[in-house]
Amino acid sequence: MTVSTTVLIANKLSRIPTSHSQEERFRALDRNLARRYVALLLHQARMSEARRLGDGELLYRPRVEVCDDPSSSRITATVELPGVNAEEISLQVGTNSTLRISGERKRRTSHTPGSDAKYPLQEIKYGKYERVLQLPQGTMLTTISAAVDNGLLVLSWPRVPPSATTSGPTSSRVDAAESS
């Protein structure tokens, strides 16, 4: 614990009336520590959602849904990218069976640096994003299709039959501009 945290806890304990028993004071201390621990866990969860780039800019991860239905001949991934055009999305397939989705969501309104614009509520994430998906075993890396519709990037690739082996190239770049 840092000195400031220790001082804050000591101040909280000193506010508890001395008429309370030592057990009640320790219970109050336990509640305070538990509250701080939960706040720390929530902060760490928020920071794991957004990694920091070298220049201090946040890199956020868009939400993804992967559908791997054994009865279907295709595996489908849907990525939430509202406000992003197909030309602004970069897809790369790596040699280690990973699919990297990246790009940048830019603010649509003009925000000049010297303006007095204030945002009393700002929940939309802007800036660079990246999501790396581990491709399931048994997928053909050369035939990934991509389409953007209503802010959703839908990726799909055919399932490789279990008896077949992948003999095609394992590294390629897929253009997401195949939007409908």
Side-chain angles (χ1 to χ4, degrees), residues 59-152:
L59 178 70
Y60 75 91
R61 293 173 21 151
R63 297 191 302 184
V64 175
E65 177 179 90
V66 177
C67 179
D68 186 6
D69 183 4
S71 65
S72 174
S73 64
R74 299 188 70 78
I75 297 173
T76 306
T78 305
V79 184
E80 283 186 340
L81 294 172
V84 178
N85 296 327
E87 302 82 35
E88 300 170 333
I89 302 170
S90 172
L91 300 174
Q92 296 173 338
V93 178
T95 57
N96 53 354
S97 294
T98 59
L99 176 63
R100 182 176 176 265
I101 306 158
S102 62
E104 183 173 5
R105 182 184 327 183
K106 297 180 180 170
R107 190 178 300 274
R108 298 291 184 219
T109 59
S110 62
H111 176 71
T112 55
S115 72
D116 292 332
K118 292 188 167 97
Y119 293 91
L121 180 61
Q122 185 175 4
E123 295 179 347
I124 300 173
K125 296 178 182 178
Y126 294 103
K128 295 182 181 178
Y129 61 86
E130 178 182 84
R131 190 65 192 248
V132 178
L133 300 176
Q134 185 68 39
L135 294 174
Q137 293 296 323
T139 58
M140 296 175 65
L141 302 176
T142 57
T143 57
I144 296 176
S145 65
V148 176
D149 186 33
N150 292 328
L152 297 174

